[in-house]
Amino acid sequence: MLFLPNHRCEHTMRMNRKRRSRRGGMLVLIAICMPVFLFMAAFAVDVAYMQLTRTELRTATDAAARAGAKTLSLTQDDKAARAAARDAALRNKVAGAGLIVRDGQIDLGIGAQASDVSRFAFSPGGSTLNAVRVRGRRTNSSAAGPVGLLLGRVMGVTQFQPVSVATSTQLDRDICLVVDRSGSMMESINGGSLPGGACSVPHPDSRWMALNTAVLAFLDELEATHQQEKCALVSYSSAGIGCGTSFTTSDVNAPLSLDYTLIRDEMARLSSGPVQGRTAISAGIDNGVNVLTGKDIRRYAVKTMVVMTDGLHNTGREPILSARDAAKRGITVNTVTFSVDADLARMKAVAEATGGRHFHAPDATALEDIFREIAATLPVMLTE
């Protein structure tokens, strides 16, 4: 008997042999590609780690430059500025450790623009310091050394050495002082009348004379800084006639100028007779906005208003509306309240609406200290 071959069985056997051959080929291919996959994974991990470390270094260096410039502004002390920069750097971690910055990595100098449209340029040294430059490093020569890579040995690279430079410069300000000349400024700091009456020259212990002293101290402090600060004076109360004189709601007593002589003269003139009227805080702010958006402003100067009042707003539109208008024009309003009668909540809201600060002075000494602090606190920005 003859047996014919089963063609179906032979075909099945051939297919099984091919499948086994393919499975074996895939294993070989995977074995060949595995080192490539590991290499790519190591590369991706280290690239991400390097980018994270660079970002951390930039953040730490920026913080150090800002802290140094701010301290230089407040203290006018180069040693204090360097110490502040070092401390700020150390508080920021880079690759798991606080950034150590030595004095040799901190430069104090002058930041300036050649024109209104040019970039800030930093020059180390000089007699009118207004900028701090910090060079943050994680290199072989730095205190903490270079940054080790997590899987760099796979690629034959074990470390990298990032460097970051940041410069923070104090900015010039255009400042408008807005002072309250309402009738309540004739009273004592703690409330109540003083000898002389409402139509006399303000008493030495009156709120107005305390303000006069604080404004003069403010101008003295501005003149002691290295920056070129323009300053103007606006006063407000309400319109009326009293004690044989007429008075307006708000006046621009002195336009923006680098020379503060007129402000001093106007404060002396206002102090030579009674101050009168109600308290139109919004009128003072509105006039301050006019000054800080007028022809005398500088394009890149920071616009700042300092609004002082001893009492309650009692005539004119709501001051918060004026503050919002100021904020739209890029003006920061700092408010100062003085005496037990002042509306702290309202004036705090006015300041916060513009990103400014509110201060309260319980006495004449505190009022002068606040004005000095505002004058000495120069705005700073990163310029590199």
Side-chain angles (χ1 to χ4, degrees):
M1 179 182 292
L2 295 174
F3 293 93
L4 297 175
N6 189 330
H7 295 289
R8 290 184 178 179
C9 290
E10 290 180 359
H11 177 72
T12 300
M13 293 173 64
R14 285 197 298 271
M15 291 299 295
N16 288 337
R17 285 196 296 270
K18 287 181 178 180
R19 290 191 186 99
R20 287 195 294 271
S21 175
R22 288 173 182 170
R23 284 198 295 268
M26 287 299 295
L27 291 174
V28 172
L29 181 61
I30 291 172
I32 293 173
C33 292
M34 185 61 70
V36 177
F37 294 152
L38 292 175
F39 179 86
M40 293 176 65
F43 179 77
V45 169
D46 273 337
V47 166
Y49 182 61
M50 291 167 68
Q51 185 59 42
L52 173 63
T53 302
R54 288 192 183 98
T55 301
E56 291 176 338
L57 180 61
R58 181 67 186 180
T59 300
T61 307
D62 288 353
R66 285 182 182 274
K70 184 175 182 179
T71 302
L72 181 64
S73 164
L74 288 171
T75 67
Q76 303 292 298
D77 186 329
D78 59 339
K79 291 182 179 179
R82 292 179 190 277
R86 291 195 305 269
D87 291 344
L90 195 59
R91 288 194 297 269
N92 286 269
K93 290 187 176 182
V94 178
L99 179 64
I100 300 174
V101 174
R102 297 190 177 103
D103 280 349
Q105 296 169 244
I106 305 170
D107 298 318
L108 276 63
I110 300 172
Q113 293 172 290
S115 68
D116 284 347
V117 296
S118 63
R119 298 183 62 181
F120 278 84
F122 177 82
S123 301
S127 58
T128 56
L129 304 177
N130 74 331
V132 175
R133 181 175 65 186
V134 177
R135 296 185 297 277
R137 296 197 299 259
R138 284 295 304 269
T139 63
N140 287 325
S141 61
S142 66
V147 179
L149 295 176
L150 301 177
L151 300 173
R153 290 179 178 82
V154 177
M155 300 177 286
V157 180
T158 60
Q159 62 187 31
F160 82 111
Q161 304 183 52
V163 176
S164 181
V165 179
T167 302
S168 189
T169 303
Q170 302 166 13
L171 299 180
D172 293 329
R173 287 179 298 181
D174 287 345
I175 305 169
C176 185
L177 294 175
V178 180
V179 299
D180 184 348
R181 53 170 166 77
S182 62
S184 60
M185 292 292 286
M186 296 286 286
E187 298 178 2
S188 69
I189 296 169
N190 296 322
S193 60
L194 290 166
C199 291
S200 65
V201 173
H203 190 275
D205 294 330
S206 67
R207 299 172 185 177
W208 175 261
M209 293 310 294
L211 173 62
N212 181 65
T213 300
V215 168
L216 297 181
F218 181 89
L219 298 177
D220 290 343
E221 199 69 38
L222 285 186
E223 290 174 333
T225 68
H226 297 313
Q227 297 302 100
Q228 296 294 307
E229 312 277 23
K230 279 191 171 185
C231 193
L233 177 66
V234 166
S235 63
Y236 67 91
S237 59
S238 64
I241 299 175
C243 299
T245 61
S246 61
F247 44 93
T248 59
T249 303
S250 180
D251 295 318
V252 178
N253 300 86
L256 277 173
S257 175
L258 296 173
D259 184 354
Y260 310 144
T261 302
L262 183 56
I263 297 178
R264 291 187 171 98
D265 290 345
E266 280 295 289
M267 289 300 296
R269 182 184 66 79
L270 291 170
S271 301
S272 65
V275 290
Q276 305 171 72
R278 302 178 72 187
T279 309
I281 297 173
S282 55
I285 296 175
D286 291 340
N287 230 352
V289 170
N290 292 336
V291 168
L292 293 175
T293 55
K295 62 181 179 61
D296 295 322
I297 64 169
R298 293 170 293 180
R299 181 177 179 183
Y300 288 108
V302 176
K303 309 299 184 292
T304 303
M305 196 185 306
V306 181
V307 180
M308 178 272 163
T309 183
D310 75 322
L312 300 174
H313 172 76
N314 52 28
T315 183
R317 70 170 180 157
E318 175 57 44
I320 192 68
L321 300 177
S322 298
R324 290 170 183 164
D325 288 343
K328 291 176 183 177
R329 308 300 290 271
I331 299 169
T332 300
V333 178
N334 295 313
T335 57
V336 181
T337 50
F338 183 42
S339 88
V340 295
D341 300 322
D343 190 342
L344 276 65
R346 175 182 267 133
M347 298 311 291
K348 182 179 180 181
V350 166
E352 290 177 346
T354 68
R357 294 178 61 190
H358 168 253
F359 303 83
H360 179 68
D363 54 47
T365 300
L367 184 66
E368 181 178 341
D369 290 343
I370 287 169
F371 270 76
R372 286 188 181 277
E373 179 183 346
I374 295 172
T377 306
L378 299 176
V380 298
M381 70 174 292
L382 290 172
T383 54
E384 180 182 356

